[in-house]
Amino acid sequence: MSLTVAVQMDPLESINIAGDSTFAIMLGAQARGHTLWHYAAGDLSYREGRLTAPARRISVQRVAGDHFAVLEEKVLDLGADADVILMRQDPPFDLAYITATHLLERIQHRTLVVNDPASVRNAPEKLFVLDYAEFMPPTLITRGLEEARAFHAEHGEVVVKPLYGNAGSAVFHVARKDANLAALTELFGQVWREPFMVQAFLPDVSKGDKRIILVDGKPAGAVNRLPKAGEIRSNLAVGGTGAQSELTPRELEICAAIGPELAKRGLLFVGIDVIAGYLTEINVTSPTGIVAIDRFNGTDTPALIWDAIETKLTHRQS
């Protein structure tokens, strides 16, 4: 099966190929003989039922500084010219992101979009996870100072973070006697219009924040992300380091609980975050971590992703 694959992502020139999950998926596609096109989400245009974007046909290679070559440029009709679209631009999950999901949804009946755009829109990471509250740490979503103060008083130490942040940005630890909660609430209210999230602090975060990848609802592997000294954030984007990890019985239980719903929604490539056995996020917009997982485990997650995509396309055609 030779496919035309359009990748909606951030500029290729700026990616870090050593750890970029999208680049690894593109390499996997190319190895199977699929044709790769790249375009930016901001370049989408819709007119009279056609969704188009100026795109570049590319080849990729794992060579730093020379990791892609442009073979052709043209305006791509995403409904007619592409078999698969990978929606892989990084958040923020804002109105521009939401608009892209609406546009892609209009051609989903002709071109397979991964992940399903309507499901991505309806499953923001820090809200979708509320469907599985039984696996979460105590959590509050609010804009109110008094609610945040009461939660802080009850749990002693908390973490405050924006609902639509990513890569560990703007995540704050408020200790037991910390007097900054009011100032943080004021700051969050000025920067973001939406509520923010407050969660009970999990001291075992120092032992790692595990990223588990699920492909079509099934666990494919995990990496334990360890925070650097003086940090609570374990994200690799802010200096965390990866370590090999196996799934615990509790983590397998979480995957078994959420996996069927992910598959049902067309959320084919998902990353969940688990700290000390507690589910904290379900990442569906642009999950990462597969390069580290494959390096530690000797696995091939891009192959699993392409197997799942090709199976879906075969079922569509039958």
Side-chain angles (χ1 to χ4, degrees):
M1 179 183 289
S2 179
L3 303 175
T4 298
V5 180
V7 186
Q8 178 176 300
M9 64 179 292
D10 299 321
L12 277 169
E13 290 81 357
S14 61
I15 63 173
N16 174 15
I17 67 169
D20 191 273
S21 292
T22 307
F23 189 74
I25 295 169
M26 293 168 75
L27 285 170
Q30 183 174 269
R32 293 186 176 216
H34 302 330
T35 301
L36 293 170
W37 291 84
H38 169 268
Y39 71 93
D43 289 336
L44 288 170
S45 294
Y46 180 85
R47 180 178 178 181
E48 298 174 353
R50 296 176 65 234
L51 185 63
T52 62
R56 302 180 293 177
R57 183 165 64 90
I58 58 169
S59 63
V60 290
Q61 59 180 355
R62 195 173 287 286
V63 178
D66 187 26
H67 55 281
F68 77 98
V70 177
L71 307 177
E72 179 186 355
E73 298 186 39
K74 75 170 186 176
V75 174
L76 202 64
D77 184 327
L78 295 169
D81 298 337
D83 298 302
V84 182
I85 296 171
L86 301 181
M87 186 169 61
R88 291 289 302 170
Q89 80 269 23
D90 288 337
F93 187 80
D94 55 12
L95 282 174
Y97 203 108
I98 290 170
T99 299
T101 68
H102 280 291
L103 293 174
L104 289 172
E105 188 180 4
R106 292 183 176 274
I107 61 165
Q108 172 78 327
H109 63 290
R110 291 195 286 166
T111 302
L112 177 65
V113 184
V114 178
N115 286 323
D116 180 278
S119 293
V120 168
R121 186 172 66 245
N122 293 331
E125 359 265 46
K126 296 181 182 68
L127 291 175
F128 180 32
V129 70
L130 300 177
D131 287 0
Y132 304 95
E134 68 271 26
F135 297 114
M136 295 179 65
T139 298
L140 167 71
I141 295 176
T142 188
R143 280 178 62 87
L145 175 59
E146 293 311 313
E147 288 82 0
R149 277 178 168 161
F151 190 86
H152 183 213
E154 178 181 354
H155 295 286
E157 292 185 77
V158 298
V159 171
V160 183
K161 49 189 173 182
L163 271 184
Y164 299 108
N166 68 298
S169 61
V171 176
F172 294 90
H173 174 213
V174 182
R176 189 173 299 275
K177 295 183 178 180
D178 197 319
N180 289 310
L181 185 61
L184 272 179
T185 301
E186 179 181 337
L187 175 64
F188 272 58
Q190 290 174 350
V191 175
W192 294 284
R193 295 181 61 188
E194 62 271 4
F196 53 88
M197 176 177 275
V198 189
Q199 287 186 320
F201 176 66
L202 300 172
D204 278 350
V205 70
S206 61
K207 299 177 183 177
D209 177 351
K210 191 175 292 188
R211 164 56 57 88
I212 302 170
I213 295 296
L214 294 96
V215 176
D216 205 20
K218 300 178 180 61
V223 59
N224 194 32
R225 301 170 299 180
L226 300 164
K228 64 182 180 182
E231 266 278 9
I232 64 160
R233 301 176 300 172
S234 304
N235 308 71
L236 302 181
V238 294
T241 56
Q244 188 171 11
S245 183
E246 302 292 333
L247 296 183
T248 67
R250 167 74 168 184
E251 290 158 356
L252 289 170
E253 180 187 3
I254 292 172
C255 291
I258 70 176
E261 184 64 21
L262 299 178
K264 178 183 175 182
R265 293 188 182 209
L267 296 169
L268 187 145
F269 178 24
V270 173
I272 66 172
D273 296 338
V274 179
I275 301 174
Y278 289 98
L279 178 66
T280 59
E281 291 187 19
I282 302 176
N283 296 274
V284 304
T285 50
S286 184
T288 61
I290 65 174
V291 175
I293 288 171
D294 289 345
R295 183 173 67 247
F296 286 124
N297 298 336
T299 49
D300 188 350
T301 305
L304 296 178
I305 292 169
W306 285 112
D307 285 346
I309 289 172
E310 290 168 9
T311 297
K312 286 185 177 296
L313 286 171
T314 299
H315 288 163
R316 276 190 167 204
Q317 295 164 2
S318 60

